[in-house]
Amino acid sequence: MTSVTTPGLDNAPTTHAKLLSWVQEVAELTTPDRVVWVDGSDEEWTRLTEQLVAAGTFTRLAAKPNSFLAQSDPSDVARVEDRTFICSVDEADAGPTNNWMDPAEMKSLMTELYRGCMRGRTMYVIPFCMGPIEAESPMFGVELTDSEYVVVSMRVMARVGTAALEAMGTDRPFVPALHSLGAPLDEGQQDVAWPCSTTKYIVQFPEERTIWSYGSGYGGNALLGKKCYSLRIASVMARDEGWLAEHMLILKLTSPQQKTHYIAAAFPSACGKTNLAMLEPTIPGWKVETLGDDIAWMRFGEDGRLYALNPEFGLFGVAPGTGWDTNPNAMRTIEAGNSVFTNVALTDDGDVWWEGMTDDAPAHLTDWKGRDWTPDSAEPSSHPNSRFCTPITQCPILAPEWDDPKGVPISAILFGGRRKTTIPLVSEARDWNHGVFMGATLSSETTAAATGAVGVIRRDPFAMLPFIGYNAGDYVSHWVETGKGADAAKLPKIFYVNWFRRDADGGFLWPGFGENSRVLKWVVERLEGTAAAVETPVGHVPTPGSLDVSGLGMTVEQVESALAVDKDEWRQEIPQITEWFEKFGDKLPGTMWDELEILKSRLDG
Ligand code: GTP
Ligand code: SPV
Ligand code: MN
């Protein structure tokens, strides 16, 4: 019997019966050479990173302490949305935005893929906790994986190892998350630097709170605590238990008067969350501190306010565009070392480089595919979805309360996307339901964070299109219900922003990055009732004088163009929104149709 002979299986550092039997069952199915229980120690990190260097997966960076570069298989660089499934018992519970397959059918199909899939490899057991282990109800998970890259990355992104396992005790619930690269090794077979399979499945079983992932080593497909657990599975838990699991950053904003506000913001993948979360304000006296850059879990506190918590432990940020000019705090975070970079370029002195890091590119690089690169090369040196994976605790502007299990009270929620036209720089919702309408109709150009075409406008409700673990109509209803059950005066105010509007020449109308602090200032002044706004069909937008553009060097016309609500442009949105809403059938709450009618009548008025 494999179960008896697999080394490592018998000396488990836990007596958690359910965990033990699941580990045994998976080991019997996948037949790894050995089982290793991840303890999360420095020694383990050293051993695994050395092993990854020896295997050719990692290059140790001479120029940054304890940091590594991984260059993936060129086909395994992003989330695979077309291979991602919500396998609910009832198909209606996955529709209309998710791929679905009957759970039994999916399990039998994947069981055959998993059979023997870890042959020649090690199966790692990674106990982890999303959010603080000291939380009242810690959110445990256990990932089984045959990838050392996944183990070291999970150690950066989540609280892993002995502390999590001990807190799980003998019987506390956990989300089982099974991952395999799908690349077994035969005896004597030479491994490749980035093993993966051409067959990929990223599967959530929402009723069972279970995750099965196969074939990819890329972050969002393989670090299962992140999108699979903290968004897809957690959104189902949140629906059932009355909270929210969202694709949002969390930041703390302090005004020159020392008033603080916490702000959460949902932008689609590669649309600016990490950058806003770490923003360095350009306006004097304002301060931003970071609490999270990708995921927020939000629950009502006893005081009736909505509190947000970042369940992660690290940053998995888009590299290109991250530079000393645009996001100096991210640069400082990675300078501290202890980071894994994937699919960026290597400099000749053993550092990383990517487009946008510095104004001038180095004269010579090794590009993400391992080829010589010079500024004359036809292709960028780094993949557009290349990433840095780095401990959030290294962020120099991390708010001290970032890991408080009770979270922080949110004053404002921003929705935003990447739109060249139509959407003004900032607008404020009239009320909660109008804000939910803004979220439900959010649109953005697709980015390299997922495989497929880039730059195509699509609806991305609440920036959660690829991450809602259940029916998207029910999800919108959940947002409406969240507002209904609350004291309206204590609910966060909702805003919609767009940093990506273009001028006639195709350039950005708004300078973005640190200058976005001007928009945050207007948001806070709206909360405090001190900033003026004009009412437009799509909400309140700043009056020309109420947005602080001092010292920015923009002309009045440029500011007006950034803020413009063009009725003709908006009328063109109506058929698209109508078509979008029709997809939801009777699952869409009637209030969304009401909001659409209000918009239409205001555009015609
Ligand atoms: P995920 O990690 O994929 O969820 O993405 P994210 O929302 O955290 O996106 P991120 O902040 O990493 O930004 C993605 C890209 O947008 C980077 O290339 C940034 O340089 C660019 N970007 C961010 N903020 C701005 C901005 O205000 N203006 C412009 N023009 N670009 C921006
Ligand atoms: C995203 O795609 O939204 C990310 C990166 O934050 S990943 O974790 O790979 O999904
Ligand atoms: Mn994300």
Side-chain angles (χ1 to χ4, degrees), residues 176-198:
L178 171 54
H179 172 255
S180 174
L181 298 167
L185 277 177
D186 288 325
E187 188 115 9
Q189 187 186 339
Q190 179 62 37
D191 203 358
V192 294
W194 187 275
C196 63
S197 168
T198 50

Side-chain angles (χ1 to χ4, degrees), residues 79 226-227 247 267-276 293-294 316-322 326-327 385 387 418 447 449 499-500 508 510-513 516:
R79 285 183 295 99
K226 200 168 167 52
K227 304 298 166 135
H247 193 202
F267 311 151
S269 303
C271 290
K273 290 182 301 299
T274 302
N275 280 267
L276 190 67
D293 82 323
D294 198 50
F316 188 64
V318 176
T322 306
T326 54
N327 193 349
N385 191 43
R387 298 261 166 181
R418 204 179 260 275
T447 67
W499 318 138
F500 300 94
F508 289 110
W510 180 251
F513 302 104
N516 294 333

Side-chain angles (χ1 to χ4, degrees), residues 505-526:
D505 301 328
F508 289 110
L509 265 170
W510 180 251
F513 302 104
E515 305 295 0
N516 294 333
S517 56
R518 298 165 188 275
V519 173
L520 296 181
K521 177 183 175 187
W522 185 80
V523 164
V524 163
E525 289 173 350
R526 288 298 293 169

Side-chain angles (χ1 to χ4, degrees), residues 387-596:
R387 298 261 166 181
F388 55 82
C389 177
T390 196
I392 195 171
T393 49
Q394 291 179 188
C395 175
I397 58 160
L398 188 67
E401 63 275 41
W402 84 278
D403 61 351
D404 184 336
K406 76 174 189 303
V408 293
I410 297 298
S411 302
I413 291 173
L414 317 186
F415 294 120
R418 204 179 260 275
R419 286 291 305 266
K420 292 188 171 71
T421 67
T422 317
I423 313 289
L425 177 64
V426 58
S427 57
E428 180 189 356
R430 292 183 305 276
D431 54 24
W432 182 263
N433 278 351
H434 182 219
V436 174
F437 178 79
M438 287 174 166
T441 57
L442 200 159
S443 56
S444 196
E445 292 152 25
T446 52
T447 67
T451 56
V454 169
V456 180
I457 296 175
R458 68 174 185 185
R459 298 291 141 184
D460 190 340
F462 300 77
M464 281 283 284
L465 179 73
F467 309 123
I468 301 173
Y470 58 102
N471 184 291
D474 289 336
Y475 170 88
V476 177
S477 289
H478 184 53
W479 266 83
V480 172
E481 292 306 314
T482 299
K484 261 191 209 157
D487 177 347
K490 292 180 178 169
L491 278 171
K493 298 278 181 291
I494 300 178
F495 297 79
Y496 193 167
V497 301
N498 178 22
W499 318 138
F500 300 94
R501 204 171 189 178
R502 308 289 184 124
D503 60 23
D505 301 328
F508 289 110
L509 265 170
W510 180 251
F513 302 104
E515 305 295 0
N516 294 333
S517 56
R518 298 165 188 275
V519 173
L520 296 181
K521 177 183 175 187
W522 185 80
V523 164
V524 163
E525 289 173 350
R526 288 298 293 169
L527 298 174
E528 294 175 352
T530 57
V534 277
E535 192 163 1
T536 78
V538 300
H540 295 89
V541 304
T543 56
S546 68
L547 185 71
D548 181 353
V549 291
S550 55
L552 199 51
M554 281 174 81
T555 65
V556 173
E557 291 72 35
Q558 284 173 321
V559 176
E560 278 174 5
S561 306
L563 292 171
V565 175
D566 180 323
K567 284 191 177 182
D568 283 333
E569 281 183 337
W570 274 97
R571 284 192 193 102
Q572 292 168 38
E573 293 284 299
I574 301 296
Q576 296 165 29
I577 295 174
T578 308
E579 192 187 329
W580 167 240
F581 278 0
E582 279 168 351
K583 276 183 72 159
F584 290 79
D586 58 9
K587 288 281 197 185
L588 192 76
T591 45
M592 291 299 103
W593 287 112
D594 299 343
E595 289 292 334
L596 181 57

Side-chain angles (χ1 to χ4, degrees), residues 36 43 229 290 332 337 347 456 568 583:
V36 168
E43 294 70 31
Y229 183 154
T290 309
R332 292 177 191 118
T347 68
V456 180
D568 283 333
K583 276 183 72 159

